[in-house]
Amino acid sequence: MVSILQYINGEIKRLTLKELSQCVHSAEGMLWVDMENPLEAEEETLLVSVFDFHPLAIEDAQRGSDEEGHLPKVEDYGEYLFIIFNPVEVTAGTGTDELRGGFEIRTTQLSGFLSKRVLVTHHYSPLRSVTNAQQLLAKNPKALARGPDFLFHVIIDELVDNYTPILDHLDTLMDDMEREVFHEPTQETMVRILQMRRNITTLRRVAFYQREMLNRLSRGEFSLITRDEMLYYRNVYDHLVRMTDLTDSYRETVGGLLDAYLSVTSNKLSQVMKVLTIISTIFLPLSVITGYFGMNFAHLPGLESPVGVVLTTLSRLIVAGGMLWVFRRNKWL
Amino acid sequence: MVSILQYINGEIKRLTLKELSQCVHSAEGMLWVDMENPLEAEEETLLVSVFDFHPLAIEDAQRGSDEEGHLPKVEDYGEYLFIIFNPVEVTAGTGTDELRGGFEIRTTQLSGFLSKRVLVTHHYSPLRSVTNAQQLLAKNPKALARGPDFLFHVIIDELVDNYTPILDHLDTLMDDMEREVFHEPTQETMVRILQMRRNITTLRRVAFYQREMLNRLSRGEFSLITRDEMLYYRNVYDHLVRMTDLTDSYRETVGGLLDAYLSVTSNKLSQVMKVLTIISTIFLPLSVITGYFGMNFAHLPGLESPVGVVLTTLSRLIVAGGMLWVFRRNKWL
Amino acid sequence: MVSILQYINGEIKRLTLKELSQCVHSAEGMLWVDMENPLEAEEETLLVSVFDFHPLAIEDAQRGSDEEGHLPKVEDYGEYLFIIFNPVEVTAGTGTDELRGGFEIRTTQLSGFLSKRVLVTHHYSPLRSVTNAQQLLAKNPKALARGPDFLFHVIIDELVDNYTPILDHLDTLMDDMEREVFHEPTQETMVRILQMRRNITTLRRVAFYQREMLNRLSRGEFSLITRDEMLYYRNVYDHLVRMTDLTDSYRETVGGLLDAYLSVTSNKLSQVMKVLTIISTIFLPLSVITGYFGMNFAHLPGLESPVGVVLTTLSRLIVAGGMLWVFRRNKWL
Amino acid sequence: MVSILQYINGEIKRLTLKELSQCVHSAEGMLWVDMENPLEAEEETLLVSVFDFHPLAIEDAQRGSDEEGHLPKVEDYGEYLFIIFNPVEVTAGTGTDELRGGFEIRTTQLSGFLSKRVLVTHHYSPLRSVTNAQQLLAKNPKALARGPDFLFHVIIDELVDNYTPILDHLDTLMDDMEREVFHEPTQETMVRILQMRRNITTLRRVAFYQREMLNRLSRGEFSLITRDEMLYYRNVYDHLVRMTDLTDSYRETVGGLLDAYLSVTSNKLSQVMKVLTIISTIFLPLSVITGYFGMNFAHLPGLESPVGVVLTTLSRLIVAGGMLWVFRRNKWL
Amino acid sequence: MVSILQYINGEIKRLTLKELSQCVHSAEGMLWVDMENPLEAEEETLLVSVFDFHPLAIEDAQRGSDEEGHLPKVEDYGEYLFIIFNPVEVTAGTGTDELRGGFEIRTTQLSGFLSKRVLVTHHYSPLRSVTNAQQLLAKNPKALARGPDFLFHVIIDELVDNYTPILDHLDTLMDDMEREVFHEPTQETMVRILQMRRNITTLRRVAFYQREMLNRLSRGEFSLITRDEMLYYRNVYDHLVRMTDLTDSYRETVGGLLDAYLSVTSNKLSQVMKVLTIISTIFLPLSVITGYFGMNFAHLPGLESPVGVVLTTLSRLIVAGGMLWVFRRNKWL
């Protein structure tokens, strides 16, 4: 699906493909071409015929259909900048799972071609931030008048803002996990901790590469980004610094959770073993006393007297009680 | 709450908002505007109308109402520097908890706008160092005469000095924990160690970012900081180097505590198990001897003689004693 | 085996060694000399006599016969660039082994001498990407017209593309391993995890050195690489960035697998021990009850009555059942 | 205690404070003022009145009375360099403790003000290297003629040389610990290992900061250090490189000791448990055989024959011996 | 022992110390002075009187008699370069030990003074690469004609080549260790693993410092190394890159061995414990059955019938067999 918007004379006009090819070489107005999950023919027409982008850039853009997309980067082709950004998507697990961490973070790809008057965005999965930018233009056409660099900043700024709820969710999940680790750890817990670590690593990597890219965009390395817009890109950069910082601290927390899990489970098991062994240890001496009077000696003292039974029974209670008392005093129970 | 102080003709005058708007464009005197937990209207009037700061800087300042605030940074807007600093607050836990590590380190935000003649400080929670700076001015008006950069240095210098008692407290807590780890470790101990690690990480991060920022402020990168003041900023920088250094070594100590905890608890449990197993191991052979004479053989030797009982009883004592002696000699007990 | 291809007047001609020595000093056409597992005499003739390359470069190229070859590097000898690249080979294990990770990643060596008009490639093991480049030239002779730098890029681009199936295979293997770790871990599993870690380290190292090399090739450091080709080398660089990134995350995953393996196996064993100990713990008290009535006291109550047997049997069932119930309630079973 | 030495006309003269203030502004001779644990009044007079050093530098020098002193640094105040150095002191533990690692490494502070003609050293604890420098001057007055930078180098060179015996001592201690770990590890051992790690970390940090500082002093960054002296500072730098290198490798060794300790203790305990369990496992079957013939069946075969006793006793010995033999063959014992 | 070789008029002449002092200031020929374990008097004469080297350089050279020598470095004294290199020696252990890792890697010191016409090498232990260089000169006198920088390169190139057999030996040892770890791990194994780690660390450090030094020698930083020779030094640099790379990967392998050792030993022990516990668990219920019929109840059913014995014996076999079957089905055995 291709949507073409032109800003001219203070208004937004929706163009067809044909109109586009006519006006693309006139030096008037600003253009935004968004290609969402485009057909190959559309890609051929627009990227190759109409705009004549470099084959390597087009190839990189088409990597977006791969599982993870291309890593974020920015490349200066003279007439235009080619920028790859990695939006983040959460694939929610099902049912109760979702509540506890059974969700996966996936990256997709947004490619942008940014020239003086034209912005081409290219992506395979629908992106809310693109839709929002379109709505913004509908309300306020002048947003496009500030140039494609401003518009592109609007889109990626929102993409980065989308990380916040994900990070908050991760934070909540880790709090849940911590409680779980210290109260009812199962092997499931460990699977989830490892999965969480993987998710955080993914987030961190994406944030890291995008931070580096925005650093370059915001420090005046590219003449296509105007001085005024650089400040806005710096702003996005600041957000990404915060993200990487947070993911770093999450990473540490999740490492602590793993340590805690290993310690708590091994401790729990050992406690159970200890109690069981204490029970055994209490009954064994009783067994020996019992066995003593089961011996077939002709002259075992006390066998004949009725007090004997009572005394041995008592002695067994005393031995058992005494052991319990000693164990308790040593805080073994 | 907004407080506006003007230094003019060797005196400090407290201005109203109206007076401020009149004198802000005259080139006389120094101004310090402190906004503590300001109303939105006040922010609108002062930051936007009176001083006309950049919208992005204002937005960043308003992040101070978020949970953790914006990361420390300094930005040069030409006419003024925009600086974010993260004061550190300790949220004490309750009761006995506080004595043992149940406290959390939180960061807040202080934003400063620093121009040739004006310092605007903006923060949501009350800061002792700001109050102290106001008292300093009351006593010694000339402190403002040295310019907003000197005044701002006074404020952040004290913020950094506030870290010292926190670090000392952490040090004491870790000593307590060490004793606890080696003498009465519980699962609580582990929770506290992990929490301590988190606290130290927070401190370290804040100190690190602020150190980097002060490095930039003190090496002459910004023309708004005069050469003379640079030395003072360098001083604050030195303190922060010390802080990060200390937090690094605390981090290592706390890591050692975790290792020690895991080793000590597992060791303790194993010792208990060993003693219990030794008890079992001593009683089992006794059981076998007892059982031997419980067999119903017609011709078991010794059954008829009264010495038999005494001899088997003795043999049991000897076996038990012998085992104990062997175990002791091998240092198993 | 030496194959010599010349591009002249829009056609590809296959030359003999003699023809080569005649045309090498005429300034016409492009040349590609591929030496696959060459005889020493051929190396002598071509590298020393015909092209007169530096002895150190030749020596480095001949390192390719060593087990692991020389590390990737690029050296500027003025007239020509000397480039070493490390293709990666998978030595598949045998039988069932191969399905589970019993395969090893080995590096070989491809050396390239790159001058304005000549490309000499030198390698000991056959390389598919070289064969493919020859087929490409057969179909499209003009590919050589773009110069040796383009042709060399074609070869290494495919070498790098060959990493992708290996990485995918590693990914599948690690998924298998994860399943194995959590469902039927054996000591074999650990051997495999450690082997996998070694494989990943090898891959990572190779990718890392090649990335650095391509970074240098693609940023205009060498005048022999034309500006237009630099973009293509940048493309290969991008792929290698992705590779190192992936190997880094694999490394982390494999580290997680090791942690998981250690935890799961120790946990599994402890569970078995717990169940066994529970069985012992249930039977010991029964033993004591039984022994009680085995004592030879003359007046043990209940011995005479037939109900006695039933009652003690019942009491034993109740004790055993009660213990089981308590253990279950505490989630020990 | 303040000692003031002046080198003039080839001789060393000891000055009083009064004489100092008179000669300080004449451009003749070299001066060395050493302040060991000075009174506040002396500091006031000398640092402020006589030499007029910057308040921040004085403040930093006075930090030397704190527990750990200021971190090493060098600052250029134009007329003079301000240098902080951290001598290392060993606080020996008492009695047997000292032999085994119960000692702590503490840092103190030496501050130096270094101008063209004057060296002021300021420290709170007595330093042997200062005393030695004074004795050197007594013997060879010309040492001061080479300028304060040479003299200061003499002092810090010896401070750094003092590290060597400490490092050697640590080395011996670690050898002792290794023997202890593998032969009689106790919980004490772990405490000592952790303490050793802390000591090494302290040393490493100090050496690291001083190395960085000497790097700056020796590479011509400061015009007050003459080209000829730079070589000598480079020499001290080299020693510090060696120190940091050694501490790094000690750090690794001590980490290995910790791993070894954990493994050895857990192994030791498990061995004991194994032997104990083997004893139990041997006696239980005997118990069952005994019990068999304790059953009250009317027709238990063999009960009547005298051979029965012998046979069952034999069978018990065979069972016990057989089990022992199997356990040994499997190397369980 | 001092050997002095002069290359003049195409020939190598062996000079005495006297002849040396005469010809050292004439501008003819090349000189190589090798000092192997020299007397102090020889050092005095040559280094101080004849060549007048800087006292600091001489002092550093004399560090070669210390246990580990000085760390590698290169220093430019204008007229000459002073270079320290660390040859590596293997101190083989005795007997069977040597086969399994009981060997230690020690560093010694080779100091070189390199001027336009003179090379002075100074070392305390005999070095094969120096002897080889002397033999090379005997065969091919022109090798000295290329200047002292070429000759020095020949010596250190062979020193670096000597690392290869050591690394190969380490590789074999680690393979042996891996087999040992997985098949018959003892506490000895752990000692050896830790020792191996230390050896590798030593190698890595030496290789690292020498790599850095050769990087400086080969990139044209020193005018005494001619452009042509730089390539040869680059070659040595490449070898050292390979060494550090290998030692890095060995380090990782040895870390993996340690993890494996800890896991395998703890696993092995647990397996033994499991089998032992299973034996106990099988015999305890039998004990209870036996005890049941040992009770002295008057009316225990089956006591009188001869089938009773058979039935209970059978039931015991069934119980034991059933438990074994269950344990096997659960893969506990």
Side-chain angles (χ1 to χ4, degrees), chain C residues 197-262:
Chain C
R197 191 160 72 172
R198 218 143 46 199
N199 278 331
I200 288 169
T201 307
T202 305
L203 256 189
R204 194 170 151 270
R205 212 182 27 181
V206 172
F208 172 78
Y209 280 109
Q210 288 176 177
R211 193 189 67 185
E212 289 316 291
M213 187 178 90
L214 275 152
N215 193 16
R216 293 179 66 198
L217 288 174
S218 66
R219 69 180 181 217
E221 187 178 331
F222 305 105
S223 57
L224 277 161
I225 310 275
T226 57
R227 268 200 88 77
D228 283 358
E229 304 307 339
M230 266 162 56
L231 267 176
Y232 290 92
Y233 281 93
R234 188 90 206 155
N235 197 31
V236 182
Y237 169 77
D238 278 352
H239 294 184
L240 282 164
V241 168
R242 178 89 202 143
M243 303 286 130
T244 42
D245 192 75
L246 266 178
T247 48
D248 272 348
S249 85
Y250 283 6
R251 212 175 132 90
E252 192 153 304
T253 308
V254 102
L257 278 181
L258 197 58
D259 289 348
Y261 168 81
L262 295 176

Side-chain angles (χ1 to χ4, degrees), chain B residues 22-241:
Chain B
Q22 286 158 358
C23 79
V24 76
H25 295 293
S26 76
E28 271 171 39
M30 301 288 176
L31 271 169
W32 174 25
V33 180
D34 178 61
M35 306 169 76
E36 181 180 321
N37 197 13
L39 306 175
E40 258 182 64
E42 293 173 335
E43 287 177 336
E44 189 67 28
T45 316
L46 275 167
L47 302 178
V48 183
S49 316
V50 177
F51 293 113
D52 188 25
F53 292 132
H54 195 284
L56 284 173
I58 296 174
E59 192 188 293
D60 281 343
Q62 289 170 338
R63 289 268 166 112
S65 59
D66 290 2
E67 206 184 328
E68 296 197 310
H70 199 287
L71 283 182
K73 71 167 176 178
V74 52
E75 249 167 335
D76 194 344
Y77 283 93
E79 291 284 289
Y80 53 93
L81 288 181
F82 174 60
I83 298 170
I84 293 181
F85 211 84
N86 282 180
V88 161
E89 251 175 33
V90 170
T91 328
T94 54
T96 54
D97 223 33
E98 203 273 334
L99 287 164
R100 332 190 97 212
F103 81 126
E104 209 176 331
I105 289 173
R106 272 187 359 97
T107 55
T108 63
Q109 180 177 336
L110 166 70
S111 316
F113 299 84
L114 195 68
S115 70
K116 269 235 168 85
R117 294 198 315 108
V118 183
L119 170 68
V120 178
T121 50
H122 174 280
H123 48 108
Y124 287 99
S125 38
L127 292 171
R128 213 178 37 183
S129 64
V130 168
T131 326
N132 287 0
Q134 288 166 341
Q135 289 167 357
L136 174 75
L137 285 192
K139 283 188 232 145
N140 176 13
K142 295 227 162 159
L144 192 42
R146 294 183 62 172
D149 49 354
F150 179 78
L151 188 64
F152 191 64
H153 142 264
V154 168
I155 294 171
I156 63 177
D157 192 25
E158 190 171 335
L159 284 180
V160 170
D161 283 352
N162 285 345
Y163 288 10
T164 312
I166 296 176
L167 286 168
D168 286 351
H169 188 45
L170 285 180
D171 203 19
T172 320
L173 282 176
M174 279 192 297
D175 283 355
D176 288 0
M177 269 185 193
E178 187 166 343
R179 214 169 310 120
E180 199 178 317
V181 160
F182 284 108
H183 293 105
E184 37 169 348
T186 61
Q187 210 180 81
E188 278 275 287
T189 316
M190 196 189 184
V191 177
R192 270 203 294 277
I193 292 175
L194 289 177
Q195 195 180 350
M196 173 65 87
R197 192 160 71 172
R198 221 145 43 202
N199 278 332
I200 289 170
T201 307
T202 304
L203 256 189
R204 195 169 151 271
R205 212 180 29 181
V206 172
F208 171 79
Y209 281 108
Q210 286 174 179
R211 194 189 66 184
E212 289 316 291
M213 188 177 90
L214 275 153
N215 193 17
R216 293 179 66 198
L217 288 173
S218 66
R219 71 181 180 216
E221 187 179 332
F222 305 103
S223 56
L224 277 162
I225 311 276
T226 58
R227 266 200 88 78
D228 284 358
E229 304 307 339
M230 265 162 55
L231 267 177
Y232 290 91
Y233 281 93
R234 188 92 206 152
N235 198 31
V236 182
Y237 169 77
D238 278 351
H239 294 184
L240 282 165
V241 168

Side-chain angles (χ1 to χ4, degrees), chain C residues 91-100 102-103:
Chain C
T91 328
T94 54
T96 53
D97 223 33
E98 203 271 338
L99 288 164
R100 331 188 99 214
F103 81 127

Side-chain angles (χ1 to χ4, degrees), chain E residues 132-186:
Chain E
N132 287 1
Q134 288 166 342
Q135 289 167 357
L136 175 74
L137 285 191
K139 282 189 234 147
N140 175 12
K142 295 230 162 159
L144 190 43
R146 293 183 63 174
D149 49 353
F150 180 78
L151 190 65
F152 192 64
H153 142 262
V154 168
I155 295 170
I156 61 176
D157 192 24
E158 191 172 333
L159 285 180
V160 170
D161 282 352
N162 285 344
Y163 288 10
T164 313
I166 297 176
L167 287 169
D168 286 351
H169 187 46
L170 286 180
D171 203 19
T172 320
L173 283 176
M174 279 192 296
D175 283 355
D176 287 1
M177 268 184 192
E178 187 166 344
R179 216 169 308 120
E180 200 178 315
V181 160
F182 284 109
H183 293 106
E184 37 170 347
T186 61

